[in-house]
Amino acid sequence: MLPDPRERPLAALSAAAVGSAALLWLTSRRRGAASAPTAAATGFDAYLRDASIGQPAAAAAPAFAATSFDAYLRQPAAAPAAAAANAGAAASSADAAPADAVPITVLFGTEYGFSKEVAEKACERLRAAAPPAGSGGASYWPRLLDMADLPGGLPGMAEGAHQALLVVCSTQGDGVPPTEAREFCDWLSSKAAPQLGGAVHYSVCALGDRSYQHFCRCGRSLDERLEALGGACLAPRVDVNREDWKAIDSWLDGVLSGLAALPLKTVEQLGGLGDAAAAADGGAHAKRWSKARPHMGRVVALEGLCTLASHNDKNTVRVEIDLGDSGLEYAPGDALGVWPSNCPQAVEELLATLGADGGLLVQLPSWHYADPLLPAGATSLPLRDALSRCYDLRQPKPELLRLLHAKLTAAVAAQQQQPRGLTAANGAANGVHGATKPKGRSAKADSASELSMGGHDALCAGGCVADKLERLAALLDDTEAAEAYLAPRHVIDVLRDFAPAPAGGGGVPLGPAELLGGLRQLQPRLYSISSSQLEHPTRVQATVAVVRYASLGADRLGVCSTFLAERLAEGQSVPVYIHKNPDFRLPADGATPIIMVGPGTGLAPFRSFMQERILRAQQSGEPFGPCVLYFGCRRRDQDYLYGPLLEGWAAEGKLQLHTAFSREQSHKVYVQDRLAQTGAAVWDLLDRRGAHFYVCGDAGSMAGAVEAALLRIIQEGQGQGPEAAAAYLEGLAAAGRYQRDVWLS
């Protein structure tokens, strides 16, 4: 999933990848050691079950949202328990497992939460399933485990403690595991993983994004490894593109069918569950600062790097943050994780559209990071703050369409229950009119076609309810159409298209709790670190392109880039953490030549590389090897990032600099063109001197074009065909000498 396709998000960078080396990730580890999308457990339905709305912070008397649970509000002491229950809603407690229950292990690895959402949905389906045949009426008992809590592996696999194992895992970057799941994946692919001998029946749901070259590679690797270890497949692996709930539901259907055919044992027959669940010892491996517990860094510098001649010119800024006494450490190639806040104007527009009080207290989502702006033990916060810091207001979930369809259907039902004499007038006022059900219409469209409350000629300022229902039904029946509709839209755009009339207008209002249940989690953004800790041990710098664009006739802002560049000032604090990237590293030997290709903000890690090499050489007195950089931008007088610094290094002989200013001549020139022009020198560094080759930047076109140019250079240098060149490049990747840190822009 991509939280912001025009701004470098966590989803796009992830554990920035090793190009073709990711192809050999599993192997090298071994050597070294249709219907509408169904609501997920963390969606609207689960929110209504587990979440509740509190009272306005300054109100003398409680004021509740329409979907609040009065019991929750009357019993504040239950709030922490409710939050804990929400955090593990889909996980059954191993300690409380009934002796006659059939335990099923559900294991997930996630970067931004969707794998967990799918795993929780799997737990829901298991609990709701009919008892397996021959079990004497015993029910399934799902145990939800996070790979992040199992860095040393999953105990009891060979002993049958996990007789049925469902695995849900996403793929990051160029085909590597989620960052916090990596240690578990390394363990599974190592010699430490036990032979299973058929004791474990498994199935894998692999999540990915077809926009990336190595679609679902991690899930596929896990599937292959479990098979190689002797596991028995209970249902075929399903590769899921983005959030295709139809494919996910199909996988779950297959899983339930496969489980029903197995002679599974109960907890009593297994002799208990052992300490498998207790082995999820995340606490023992907990970091002081992490994505879930960010450090409040202090902004000490904000520097514009571009010359802006008009409001249409793109800007890039250098952000420097003081990490204080946090003890946070980073290496060149790592990324700075930043938790942003949404634009205040966007929050206020959404509140106005809802007609909601921003001071209304809502439950703190269980997945929200340890927020230092909240009091210790807080279980609620004002709606305005929740919309600002907890929820993504840009990329709507498909569940929001389901919610709106349900609310509009309720509006129709309310109209139908009115006295006949009032129906026509109110129906016209709300745009409800009759329609004839066409042949072939789906069941979801029935509510749109069975209206008979007004004339077909009724004029509706907000759009006719029947038309909205019909359009929603069509989107819910077509996943691709829904994705195409949602892709350019923010949450407020969808609400403006389909939201029911507010209370008092004859429709059914959309309550804050209902809306929050249909929103995604606000994700942190990752920015390649562009500094060396050798320069300043408590400072970190990032190079941030400020995102602005137009969509659907409206001006849009990048969430995090404008948060950093325009809404923060020097002296203010921002929640940050270090995202380790072990797949993008300088050679251990400083004398090894490096070739770097980084147009635009792809330059950021290479600024860090150069600072590290220069400062380390000053400390040791040892010279460093050749450093070659290919940098590109539009114009040298507009967006030549760190131009004077690069030119200075080049003048001092520390850097061989090749620039491509695409807009300074009649024909466009890019970094891949400069690379091709210096092909002989590149080949000499690679083949004779053992250089490492790095690419950072856009995965959509630049990275592929650079790789194609590099393959041509290799082919010409070898004097052989394209297959030999591809094999040579694959060998470079396997040796860690071809590394890429790329993302979709």
Side-chain angles (χ1 to χ4, degrees):
M1 108 181 137
L2 296 175
D4 182 352
R6 294 174 179 81
E7 183 172 9
R8 186 181 192 183
L10 179 63
L13 174 64
S14 183
V18 187
S20 301
L23 179 64
L24 302 176
W25 167 72
L26 185 59
T27 305
S28 64
R29 288 293 177 181
R30 291 177 188 168
R31 285 197 302 263
S35 55
T38 305
T42 55
F44 169 58
D45 296 335
Y47 190 97
L48 293 181
R49 285 196 301 272
D50 296 333
S52 63
I53 299 301
Q55 62 190 42
F64 310 128
T67 55
S68 299
F69 289 112
D70 292 339
Y72 174 90
L73 294 166
R74 287 196 297 268
Q75 302 176 37
N86 189 44
S92 300
S93 167
D95 294 336
D100 62 348
V102 176
I104 308 293
T105 302
V106 182
L107 178 67
F108 70 89
T110 191
E111 189 75 50
Y112 357 95
F114 187 57
S115 296
K116 181 181 180 182
E117 186 173 339
V118 174
E120 289 175 336
K121 174 66 178 297
C123 292
E124 281 193 348
R125 289 285 302 272
L126 287 167
R127 284 195 298 271
S135 67
S139 299
Y140 293 122
W141 188 265
R143 294 180 291 170
L144 186 65
L145 299 178
D146 187 347
M147 292 180 190
D149 295 329
L150 299 165
L154 183 59
M157 287 185 69
E159 293 77 22
H162 306 280
Q163 57 181 340
L165 175 64
L166 308 184
V167 181
V168 184
C169 192
S170 59
T171 295
Q172 308 311 313
D174 251 2
V176 295
T179 306
E180 295 185 345
R182 182 157 187 157
E183 289 182 83
F184 173 86
C185 293
D186 289 347
W187 168 82
L188 187 66
S189 63
S190 72
K191 294 180 180 179
Q195 291 297 314
L196 303 178
V200 176
H201 295 81
Y202 72 92
S203 183
V204 175
C205 180
L207 305 181
D209 187 333
R210 292 193 185 277
S211 302
Y212 284 87
Q213 180 180 359
H214 305 299
F215 174 62
C216 289
R217 171 171 286 170
C218 184
R220 293 176 181 178
S221 297
L222 292 172
D223 185 39
E224 293 169 0
R225 181 57 173 162
L226 287 169
E227 180 183 18
L229 290 173
C233 181
L234 70 89
R237 186 194 73 244
V238 171
D239 297 338
V240 179
N241 181 45
R242 296 174 67 87
E243 296 184 1
D244 186 350
W245 279 104
K246 288 185 179 180
I248 294 167
D249 285 335
S250 176
W251 174 69
L252 290 173
D253 291 342
V255 164
L256 291 174
S257 296
L259 289 173
L262 295 176
L264 300 176
K265 297 179 180 180
T266 64
V267 173
E268 183 178 23
Q269 291 168 338
L270 288 169
L273 297 180
D275 60 352
D281 55 351
H285 298 269
K287 302 173 183 177
R288 183 182 178 191
W289 306 111
S290 64
K291 174 184 174 184
R293 189 171 181 265
H295 171 71
M296 292 299 287
R298 181 172 58 89
V299 178
V300 293
L302 282 167
E303 176 189 6
L305 300 177
C306 298
T307 301
L308 305 180
S310 72
H311 70 281
N312 292 323
D313 289 342
K314 297 180 179 180
N315 194 17
T316 298
V317 299
R318 180 185 66 87
V319 181
E320 186 170 357
I321 294 173
D322 190 340
L323 301 174
D325 61 356
S326 66
L328 283 169
E329 296 180 350
Y330 61 86
D334 287 341
L336 178 69
V338 180
W339 281 103
S341 293
N342 285 308
C343 174
Q345 181 180 352
V347 172
E348 295 305 319
E349 287 179 351
L350 190 54
L351 287 171
T353 299
L354 289 174
D357 177 4
L360 192 71
L361 291 180
V362 298
Q363 183 172 328
L364 179 68
S366 62
W367 37 254
H368 186 56
Y369 59 86
D371 194 335
L373 298 180
L374 294 174
T379 58
S380 62
L381 75 169
L383 175 60
R384 179 176 285 105
D385 292 346
L387 292 174
S388 175
R389 302 202 302 275
C390 302
Y391 293 96
D392 183 356
L393 307 186
R394 299 167 60 80
Q395 287 195 309
K397 294 172 68 173
E399 289 177 74
L400 183 58
L401 300 179
R402 292 180 58 250
L403 169 62
L404 291 170
H405 186 276
K407 298 299 290 185
L408 287 173
T409 301
V412 170
Q415 289 289 344
Q416 290 175 330
Q417 292 173 3
Q418 291 184 9
R420 184 172 299 274
L422 298 177
T423 298
N426 288 341
N430 286 282
V432 180
H433 62 80
T436 302
K437 180 178 178 180
K439 294 182 180 180
R441 283 284 296 279
S442 70
K444 289 187 182 63
D446 288 350
S447 57
S449 63
E450 293 175 354
L451 307 180
S452 57
M453 293 188 277
H456 286 276
D457 298 329
L459 298 178
C460 332
C464 295
V465 171
D467 294 339
K468 292 179 180 180
L469 275 171
E470 185 170 2
R471 189 179 180 197
L472 279 169
L475 292 173
L476 291 173
D477 280 337
D478 187 336
T479 300
E480 291 186 1
E483 288 183 355
Y485 167 78
L486 293 173
R489 286 171 171 81
H490 292 185
V491 171
I492 196 167
D493 299 322
V494 178
L495 294 183
R496 286 169 175 167
D497 282 350
F498 296 115
V508 179
L510 182 65
E514 295 170 311
L515 175 66
L516 296 183
L519 300 186
R520 300 179 191 275
Q521 175 185 356
L522 182 63
Q523 296 291 340
R525 304 303 198 258
L526 293 180
Y527 298 98
S528 291
I529 291 173
S530 51
S531 57
S532 168
Q533 218 160 10
L534 294 177
E535 180 184 27
H536 199 303
T538 67
R539 299 281 179 88
V540 61
Q541 299 180 39
T543 304
V544 181
V546 182
V547 177
R548 293 179 177 276
Y549 61 99
S551 177
L552 304 177
D555 292 333
R556 309 292 201 190
L557 304 177
V559 173
C560 194
S561 63
T562 57
F563 169 68
L564 290 171
E566 299 174 4
R567 288 187 277 123
L568 283 180
E570 292 183 15
Q572 291 184 310
S573 297
V574 57
V576 298
Y577 63 97
I578 300 300
H579 178 95
K580 295 295 183 180
N581 182 13
D583 298 324
F584 202 74
R585 288 287 187 259
L586 278 166
D589 185 354
T592 302
I594 58 174
I595 303 170
M596 304 165 285
V597 182
T601 54
L603 170 65
F606 303 136
R607 182 177 186 263
S608 176
F609 278 21
M610 289 301 301
Q611 285 188 343
E612 183 81 4
R613 280 204 154 184
I614 292 169
L615 293 172
R616 196 167 293 282
Q618 290 176 356
Q619 291 177 354
S620 67
E622 297 289 335
F624 55 88
C627 301
V628 183
L629 173 66
Y630 294 85
F631 172 76
C633 63
R634 292 176 177 239
R635 303 180 60 89
R636 75 181 72 227
D637 60 354
Q638 181 182 1
D639 53 352
Y640 189 4
L641 306 182
Y642 304 111
L645 178 66
L646 300 180
E647 300 282 358
W649 284 338
E652 294 168 358
K654 299 172 181 176
L655 177 69
Q656 298 176 33
L657 179 62
H658 303 275
T659 55
F661 302 109
S662 61
R663 304 299 194 272
E664 286 194 351
Q665 55 281 314
S666 58
H667 62 287
K668 295 180 180 178
V669 176
Y670 298 109
V671 287
Q672 59 265 29
D673 301 315
R674 297 299 188 217
L675 186 67
Q677 293 168 4
T678 56
V682 170
W683 173 248
D684 180 70
L685 286 173
L686 285 174
D687 196 58
R688 189 175 65 85
R689 303 188 62 181
H692 286 217
F693 194 101
Y694 301 89
V695 182
C696 183
D698 174 42
S701 57
M702 183 278 298
V706 167
E707 183 167 298
L710 181 57
L711 283 168
R712 288 192 294 270
I713 290 171
I714 295 171
Q715 185 174 341
E716 292 174 4
Q718 287 181 316
Q720 302 177 37
E723 291 184 1
Y728 184 94
L729 185 60
E730 186 174 311
L732 291 181
R737 291 176 53 203
Y738 176 46
Q739 302 183 18
R740 304 198 311 173
D741 178 358
V742 297
W743 63 90
L744 289 173
S745 59

